[in-house]
Amino acid sequence: MIAFVQGPVAALAPDSAVVAVGGIGIAVQCTPGTLAGLRPGEEARLATSLVVREDSLTLYGFADEDERQTFELLQTASGVGPRLAQAMLAVHSPDALRLAVATGDEKTLTAVPGIGKKGAQKLLLELKDRLGEPLGTGARGPARPAGPAAAGWREQLHAALVGLGYAPREADDAVAAVAPQAEAAAADGTAPSVSGLLRAALQTLNRTR
């Protein structure tokens, strides 16, 4: 198992990063929140989880060990594969998911595209004794200074919404709806939080799944 990758970031895409390790470029699937903390050319260390299928090997990357462990625990629930587990972590922090499961909060889970009311109820039952108690914080870490990634929040957010199954036009509308929030953060000299914007954008989308 590949527990982590460490090296300079060689490239960034809407849903993945390439990290140079020992002369080899390792492609790692990441959430928008994790990608927002990476910069091309800068050193990065990502906790990883390797998902093996008959026709593919996919490496998923996370900002820290807590996210990686949560990603793997989520998949112990029936019907939750790596893509849905990653979507859950794109929308909510590990502690927010632990809190939702501990308190039986269906609304938090149904905010994730692909999870309906019945699915949320089932997940609450199956994950109740698996995720553990909330640690008391849903934060993903301190905001980074504004930079190249801040300027590209629209593209990252749009790609994340499309990746979660929304139509490009729906994604356009959601991005426009949260633009004032992002611009206010930028005006304060803070890089817009793509993960926070994603949660806000999903709240504006009332699509039934």
Side-chain angles (χ1 to χ4, degrees):
M1 177 181 176
I2 302 174
F4 70 90
V5 294
Q6 182 170 341
V9 177
L12 291 173
D15 61 353
S16 65
V18 176
V19 179
V21 180
I24 299 174
I26 306 294
V28 187
Q29 298 291 310
C30 304
T31 66
T34 297
L35 291 171
L38 304 179
R39 302 287 185 274
E42 290 189 7
E43 187 83 2
R45 186 182 191 278
L46 297 174
T48 57
S49 179
L50 180 63
V51 176
V52 180
R53 295 287 186 267
E54 289 185 3
D55 59 348
S56 67
L57 295 173
T58 306
L59 196 63
Y60 290 84
F62 309 93
D64 55 41
E65 187 65 19
D66 189 21
E67 284 193 356
R68 184 193 67 78
Q69 291 180 350
T70 303
F71 171 78
E72 294 179 348
L73 287 171
L74 289 171
Q75 293 178 74
T76 64
S78 59
V80 178
R83 297 299 295 180
L84 182 56
Q86 187 181 51
M88 293 172 75
L89 286 168
V91 179
H92 301 299
S93 69
D95 214 47
L97 290 172
R98 285 191 286 265
L99 181 61
V101 172
T103 59
D105 184 0
E106 294 179 13
K107 187 175 180 181
T108 292
L109 295 186
T110 56
V112 179
I115 300 180
K117 184 178 177 63
K118 290 184 178 179
Q121 293 173 342
K122 185 177 180 182
L123 285 173
L124 290 174
L125 287 174
E126 291 194 29
L127 295 173
K128 186 173 183 180
D129 299 320
R130 302 181 191 179
L131 288 188
E133 294 298 319
L135 304 178
T137 174
R140 292 182 180 269
R144 294 188 57 139
W153 70 265
R154 290 177 183 272
E155 291 77 11
Q156 289 187 26
L157 181 58
H158 189 277
L161 290 167
V162 172
L164 289 172
Y166 290 99
R169 183 167 182 174
E170 290 178 302
D172 289 338
D173 293 341
V175 169
V178 302
Q181 180 179 331
E183 291 165 359
D188 291 335
T190 303
S193 167
V194 178
S195 56
L197 292 173
L198 178 59
R199 289 192 290 275
L202 288 170
Q203 291 176 358
T204 71
L205 295 166
N206 297 318
R207 181 176 177 179
T208 302
R209 289 180 168 269

